């Protein structure tokens, strides 16, 4: 297919904001595409070269792309930069500068969509010395052969900034519209989505839909080594309601970490997150546990991975673990600083058989036989099988005091439904509400070890009507005496807060200081209560500091009294 055909589609998509229209444009286009090109075209139409879950990246940043434009057009780099400053869209810059140039030079031959796809795909595999130069050469070659409009989209695809507003839902609907015309619309969309949950690449899904319709889609099976969209939980309004929801239950600790799917086939192991990222390289210790302590050589198990502080052995909040997830270098060092613990709770594939249609009770039985636990490192989740509210409450409190999020109440008779929040499956019970961003409007000087520092802080929300800040609770928890020292940590320390707040002290009366609202912190808490102690009429129960928001929020942007009122009502309504 000529790339210019695709470019026409991009232009049409850019020129409409209607989702329905976009769906129609893509459906019509996919329908006309040959089956052997469909997988690539479906990716390209989303501005992608690799499916979302692939760890491969084109790896060309804005700055490099500017060099590509300047070198392929023979235009000064400063001119490219100047144009970019005007629109912030490098695609448009390429189009404009090339438009002028192409009046004098004839371009050589038609560019094919396949050529664009393959050249950009090559970029991800280039490594080692001179990588950037080779990449610049490859993209320059494409740009040099392109028309002005084509250049616009080559540039946008390369830097991953398409600006055509094609979300995954649109592609799903377009695939259904193009290839399942004769089916009931709702069924068709469901079938495409279901296939995508287990094979998250609309390129592949489109090809299957075109070749074998509804039947083909319903036969899509998960594959070891490729991620799938995992089963999700729903929030329970209360513990009692959660326990009453199912006949047979298991109550498990809900760990505060990251979901990990561990695939194992013979000596090969893959690790995927819930967002389908491949994180195998980042967690070598998990790979080695999986090799030695999963008895099957052909299975997929699911777990929650927890991060610990290597020195204090205390569980760390999720943000630390996310540093390991993102880390591409010095893996050994960060593995020492933030060791992990794997808490295993499900199995979805065993010895050639997909277990989605097995009930949880059966899956857990299989899981027990497959995992050889290593205490504290690679173990089955803690769980109890009882509906006795007192025992469950005790289990729940223990989970919270162990710094975990709460519990999962699971229906032992439910099958595994990938990619869904299903009411019939898992219910989470956790105390914390949505975090609030609040301004610090007062404080008290600390005593003892905290002398010289501002200790307890007064939190304030903004009353939208009067613009005034209203107190809504005191907070001292979650502020550290010392930073953990781990690179990139987000600890908030007393010292740091004192430095930020001191210049904003407005007045002092006894131990209490009034502080001008300038500093915003994100606060987690267990519940909002009515209170006469604070001007807002509300107090936060067990508030704790999560992080500073000074960089991205001014006091005027902090949460409002109105929002607290709304959250309070929601909490009372139990939803
Ligand atoms: P949420 O993200 O709040 O919807 O809760 C679902 C997430 O809880 C899952 O994706 C897991 O990452 C995590 N989780 C922690 N402990 C468990 C457990 N015992 N069973 C299932 N999921 C768990």
């Amino acid at each position: 297919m000529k790339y210019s055909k695709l470019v026409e589609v991009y232009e049409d998509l850019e020129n409409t904001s209607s989702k329905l229209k976009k769906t129609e444009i893509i459906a019509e286009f996919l329908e006309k595409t040959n089956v052997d090109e469909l997988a690539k075209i479906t990716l390209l139409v989303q501005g992608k070269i690799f499916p979302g879950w692939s760890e491969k990246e084109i790896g060309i940043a804005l700055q490099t792309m500017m060099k590509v434009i300047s070198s392929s057009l023979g235009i000064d780099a400063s001119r490219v930069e100047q144009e970019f400053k005007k629109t912030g869209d490098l695609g448009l810059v390429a189009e404009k500068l090339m438009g002028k140039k192409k009046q004098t030079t004839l371009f050589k031959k038609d560019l094919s969509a396949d050529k664009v796809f393959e050249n950009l795909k090559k970029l991800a595999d280039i490594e080692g010395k001179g990588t950037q130069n080779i990449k610049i050469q490859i993209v320059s070659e494409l740009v040099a052969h392109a028309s002005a409009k084509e250049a616009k989209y080559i540039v946008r695809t390369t830097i991953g900034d398409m600006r055509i507003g094609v979300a995954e839902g649109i592609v799903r609907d377009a695939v259904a519209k193009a290839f399942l015309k004769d089916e009931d619309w709702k069924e068709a969309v469901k079938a495409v989505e279901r296939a995508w949950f287990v094979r998250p690449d609309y390129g592949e899904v489109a090809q299957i839909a075109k070749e074998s319709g509804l039947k083909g889609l319903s036969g899509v099976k998960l594959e070891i080594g490729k991620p799938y969209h995992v089963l999700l939980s729903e929030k329970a309004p209360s513990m009692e309601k959660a326990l009453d929801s199912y006949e047979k239950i298991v109550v498990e600790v809900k760990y505060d970490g990251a979901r990990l799917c561990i695939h194992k086939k013979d000596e090969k192991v893959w690790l995927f997150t819930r967002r389908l990222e491949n994180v195998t390289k980042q967690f070598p210790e998990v790979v080695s546990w999986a090799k030695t302590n999963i008895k099957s050589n052909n299975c997929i198990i699911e777990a929650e991975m927890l991060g610990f502080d290597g020195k204090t052995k205390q569980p760390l909040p999720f943000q630390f673990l996310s540093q390991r997830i993102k880390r591409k270098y010095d893996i050994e060092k960060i593995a020492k600083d933030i060791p992990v613990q794997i808490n295993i709770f499900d199995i979805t594939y065993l010895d050639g058989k997909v277990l989605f249609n097995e009930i949880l009770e059966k899956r857990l039985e299989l899981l027990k036989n497959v995992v050889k636990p290593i205490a504290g490192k690679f173990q089955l989740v803690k769980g109890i099988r009882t509906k006795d509210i007192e025992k469950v409450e005790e289990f729940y409190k223990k989970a919270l005091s162990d710094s975990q999020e709460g519990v999962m109440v699971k229906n032992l008779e439910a099958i595994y439904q990938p990619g869904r929040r299903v009411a019939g499956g898992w219910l989470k019970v956790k105390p914390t509400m949505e975090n609030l961003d609040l301004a610090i409007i007062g404080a008290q000087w600390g005593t003892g070890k905290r002398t010289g520092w501002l200790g307890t802080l007064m939190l304030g929300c903004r009353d939208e009507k009067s613009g005034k800040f209203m107190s809504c609770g005191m907070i001292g928890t979650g502020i550290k005496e010392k930073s953990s020292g781990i690179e990139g940590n987000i600890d908030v320390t007393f010292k740091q807060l004192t430095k930020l707040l001191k210049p904003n002290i407005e007045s002092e009366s006894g131990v209490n200081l009034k502080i001008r609202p300038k500093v915003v912190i994100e606060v987690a808490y267990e519940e909002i209560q009515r209170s006469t102690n604070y001007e807002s009429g509300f107090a936060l129960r067990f508030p704790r500091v999560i992080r500073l928001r000074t960089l991205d929020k001014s006091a005027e942007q902090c949460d409002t009294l109105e929002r607290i009122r709304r959250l309070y009502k929601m909490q009372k309504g139990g939803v």
Side-chain angles (χ1 to χ4, degrees), residues 230-235 251-260 274 302-306 343-346 381-383 404-410 421 426 428 430:
V230 292
L231 167 66
L232 301 170
S233 67
E234 281 211 313
K235 194 166 192 280
V251 181
E252 293 175 354
V253 174
K254 183 175 192 306
Y255 298 87
D256 185 11
R259 176 91 158 248
L260 200 66
R274 164 171 160 173
E302 290 195 11
E304 184 79 354
M305 175 164 68
L306 278 188
N343 297 285
I344 304 158
F345 54 76
D346 219 321
V381 293
K382 285 188 199 132
Q404 300 311 324
E405 258 188 274
V407 293
M408 279 284 194
V409 177
K410 295 184 178 176
R421 286 195 187 277
W426 299 353
K428 61 185 167 195
K430 55 180 191 178

Side-chain angles (χ1 to χ4, degrees), residues 381-399:
V381 293
K382 285 188 199 132
I384 49 167
R385 292 191 186 194
T386 176
K387 281 194 166 185
D388 181 324
I389 184 88
E390 272 176 32
K391 283 193 186 137
V392 173
E393 287 281 2
E394 205 177 303
F395 184 79
Y396 175 57
K397 277 193 196 127
K398 174 82 173 70

Side-chain angles (χ1 to χ4, degrees), residues 194 369 400:
R194 191 209 149 268
N369 295 331
L400 294 179

Side-chain angles (χ1 to χ4, degrees), residues 82-356:
Q82 207 182 10
E83 286 296 330
F84 178 63
K85 279 194 186 133
K86 286 188 203 157
T87 58
D89 178 347
L90 217 43
L92 281 184
V93 174
E95 181 186 12
K96 180 173 170 192
L97 296 179
M98 183 164 250
K100 291 200 171 132
K101 184 111 183 136
K102 280 280 155 81
Q103 284 165 4
T104 52
T105 29
L106 279 175
F107 45 107
K108 297 131 204 152
K109 58 178 180 200
D110 277 344
L111 203 53
S112 72
D114 195 60
K115 169 95 178 160
V116 174
F117 187 87
E118 292 302 331
N119 269 27
L120 294 183
K121 195 170 157 200
K122 259 193 263 173
L123 299 179
D125 295 323
I126 300 169
E127 279 174 2
K129 229 172 132 204
T131 299
Q132 277 307 314
N133 281 341
I134 303 172
K135 287 188 174 186
I136 290 176
Q137 248 174 34
I138 293 177
V139 188
S140 300
E141 189 204 325
L142 283 180
V143 175
H145 282 97
S147 68
K149 274 266 181 280
E150 287 171 342
K152 170 177 167 185
Y153 290 101
I154 291 171
V155 168
R156 284 184 176 180
T157 308
T158 310
I159 57 174
D161 185 14
M162 282 309 273
R163 301 171 181 237
I164 51 173
V166 176
E168 268 155 356
I170 291 179
V171 186
R172 176 198 60 205
D173 291 358
V175 171
K177 213 176 187 89
F179 306 120
L180 302 172
K181 275 204 181 86
D182 301 331
E183 312 292 344
D184 171 73
W185 172 245
K186 272 197 180 149
E187 284 303 312
V189 170
K190 238 167 97 189
V192 173
E193 187 176 62
R194 191 209 149 268
W196 180 69
F197 282 153
V198 270
R199 201 68 74 71
D201 174 355
Y202 276 119
E204 263 185 86
V205 172
Q207 204 172 334
I208 296 167
K210 179 161 181 136
E211 282 177 328
S212 41
L214 211 53
K215 195 149 177 267
L217 289 177
S218 62
V220 169
K221 289 224 168 66
L222 64 80
E223 242 177 87
I224 291 204
K226 287 189 180 172
Y228 54 89
H229 287 96
V230 292
L231 167 66
L232 301 170
S233 67
E234 281 211 313
K235 194 166 192 280
S238 68
M239 183 69 85
E240 284 82 359
K241 289 207 172 116
L243 299 186
D244 276 350
S245 296
Y246 314 126
E247 279 282 311
K248 279 176 96 177
I249 59 163
V250 57
V251 181
E252 293 175 354
V253 174
K254 183 175 192 306
Y255 298 87
D256 185 11
R259 176 91 158 248
L260 200 66
C261 289
I262 306 174
H263 297 222
K264 181 182 175 192
K265 180 139 203 225
D266 302 321
E267 274 308 287
K268 203 161 163 38
V269 171
W270 297 260
L271 307 177
F272 294 105
T273 65
R274 164 171 160 173
R275 296 178 53 209
L276 317 185
E277 295 154 298
N278 184 335
V279 291
T280 315
K281 286 201 190 99
Q282 288 91 316
F283 297 96
E285 73 271 49
V286 182
V287 170
S288 107
W289 296 333
K291 283 184 182 167
T292 51
N293 287 63
I294 297 180
K295 290 187 226 160
S296 160
N297 270 340
N298 197 8
C299 71
I300 302 175
I301 63 174
E302 290 195 11
E304 184 79 354
M305 175 164 68
L306 278 188
F308 280 84
D309 184 326
K311 288 194 194 97
T312 64
K313 308 287 180 256
Q314 292 300 307
L316 287 169
F318 173 73
Q319 289 87 337
F320 287 88
L321 194 55
S322 78
Q323 285 176 39
R324 273 202 71 176
I325 290 175
K326 285 187 213 127
R327 184 65 76 93
K328 299 263 158 66
Y329 57 92
D330 278 349
I331 306 273
E332 302 284 314
K333 174 168 185 323
I334 198 164
K336 272 211 186 90
D337 289 342
I338 309 175
V340 294
Q341 178 186 84
I342 302 297
N343 297 285
I344 304 158
F345 54 76
D346 219 321
I347 179 161
T348 53
Y349 187 88
L350 183 62
D351 299 333
K353 190 168 176 235
V354 181
L355 303 177
F356 287 162

